[in-house]
Amino acid sequence: MCAIQQIPLSVIDHEDSWMWKFDSKGIYTLKSGYKYQYNQLPRAPALTKDLWRYVWKLELPAKVQKAIMIAWEIWNARNGIVWKQKHVVPYTILQKAQHFLQEWQLARVSMVSYDPNTVPIVIKWQPPNAGLKCNVDACFDAATGLVHVGLVIRDSNGQFVEGMCKSLGYVQNSLNAEAMGVREALSWVKGRLFNMPMVMEMDCLMVKQALDRILHDNSYFAGLIHDCKFLVRDIASLYFSFVKKSANQVTHMLARATGSMSGLAE
């Protein structure tokens, strides 16, 4: 009963609808049905992964390397015929194999020449030109399915204004968790009635892109995005922005820490 009560519901009242959980859009198609059945067949993913690791480490002769890449592209071509009805000529398969081989060889050279002392370029958080900036991030616990969110609001001088962290309930994957985190942030900001322009910054590009377009599907993710758009209509002067994870570290750590806390912290 406790787990059922923690299932997050929509902020908008609407009728329930059927959803096909094995499709990203929640819509059943004959193709998605066949794909589901195909994925139930026995596989040997661990063996395949171990094989590629073995190939990666070996100094194989050029002819053997090329043969492996051709076999890989033949497999890709077969999948294209089965799932996308996309046919390719043998010449194209050979060209793709050669291109893949060249990329693989360049990657090996890059790994050998990699300098661990090189300092990586890190994008840092930047204050807004005016008004407020709200950074939000969600943490998804794959073992439990629980979602935790953290958000921090700072002004144009970089000064802390308000913050919040909270556990939200259960979802199926990390993408839904990120969308749920943005929805919670919008609901929280709406209740505070900030009378200043605000940019809401997130590090999940797929959520940002979904907020910028219209989604026509029955997925849970689409429902979360619809909730976000419904909430933002009542918040004056707010727009969304995408940022690299390195510029969103404060909220990321806050969301992660929420797993060891109980209730709401502000």
Side-chain angles (χ1 to χ4, degrees):
M1 179 64 70
C2 181
I4 294 176
Q5 292 174 341
Q6 292 193 58
I7 297 176
L9 301 177
S10 173
V11 299
I12 308 170
D13 292 330
H14 54 72
E15 295 183 359
D16 294 337
S17 60
W18 288 102
M19 181 188 303
W20 174 245
K21 71 175 184 179
F22 301 108
D23 178 74
S24 61
K25 294 184 178 181
I27 301 173
Y28 176 82
T29 62
L30 189 60
K31 179 179 178 181
S32 66
Y34 276 127
K35 187 174 183 180
Y36 168 72
Q37 291 295 333
Y38 177 79
N39 289 334
Q40 302 310 302
L41 297 175
R43 295 288 193 280
L47 178 61
T48 304
K49 187 181 294 184
D50 290 342
L51 175 61
W52 276 109
R53 286 175 179 172
Y54 180 71
V55 170
W56 182 269
K57 294 178 181 179
L58 284 179
E59 294 294 337
L60 296 174
K63 289 184 178 181
V64 178
Q65 293 178 3
K66 189 171 184 179
I68 292 173
M69 298 307 175
I70 291 174
W72 173 252
E73 288 302 333
I74 290 175
W75 172 254
N76 286 333
R78 177 262 179 197
N79 288 339
I81 294 173
V82 173
W83 301 118
K84 300 180 180 179
Q85 293 74 52
K86 182 180 179 181
H87 295 263
V88 296
V89 298
Y91 175 78
T92 302
I93 294 176
L94 292 175
Q95 287 293 100
K96 287 185 175 181
Q98 182 64 34
H99 180 69
F100 190 17
L101 177 59
Q102 291 173 352
E103 288 186 338
W104 178 70
Q105 291 170 339
L106 288 173
R108 286 173 60 85
V109 172
S110 298
M111 289 183 67
V112 172
S113 60
Y114 171 72
D115 183 2
N117 296 319
T118 301
V119 179
I121 299 176
V122 178
I123 299 176
K124 296 183 179 180
W125 181 88
Q126 297 293 330
N129 294 328
L132 303 172
K133 177 178 284 188
C134 174
N135 284 80
V136 58
D137 194 23
C139 179
F140 174 66
D141 189 335
T144 63
L146 279 170
V147 183
H148 312 291
V149 64
L151 70 85
V152 172
I153 297 178
R154 286 166 284 194
D155 61 21
S156 57
N157 295 318
Q159 298 297 312
F160 174 81
V161 177
E162 285 196 56
M164 178 270 287
C165 59
K166 184 179 181 182
S167 294
L168 301 181
Y170 298 91
V171 293
Q172 290 183 332
N173 53 55
S174 58
L175 181 60
N176 286 341
E178 294 287 355
M180 189 181 295
V182 173
R183 185 182 71 173
E184 183 64 27
L186 287 169
S187 180
W188 189 81
V189 167
K190 179 182 176 181
R192 292 301 189 278
L193 295 175
F194 292 102
N195 295 318
M196 297 179 68
M198 179 180 293
V199 53
M200 184 166 288
E201 208 167 57
M202 65 200 73
D203 57 32
C204 182
L205 183 58
M206 292 184 69
V207 171
K208 169 60 171 62
Q209 291 174 335
L211 290 167
D212 292 337
R213 65 176 190 268
I214 300 175
L215 300 181
H216 298 288
D217 60 65
N218 298 330
S219 66
Y220 186 65
F221 175 72
L224 291 170
I225 296 299
H226 184 64
D227 286 351
C228 290
K229 293 180 178 180
F230 176 80
L231 289 168
V232 80
R233 291 188 307 178
D234 298 327
I235 304 175
S237 302
L238 185 145
Y239 69 93
F240 300 107
S241 176
F242 167 74
V243 70
K244 296 291 186 179
K245 287 186 178 293
S246 58
N248 204 30
Q249 285 297 310
V250 172
T251 48
H252 176 71
M253 297 303 296
L254 187 60
R256 289 190 60 181
T258 310
S260 59
M261 301 167 61
S262 60
L264 172 69
E266 297 186 27

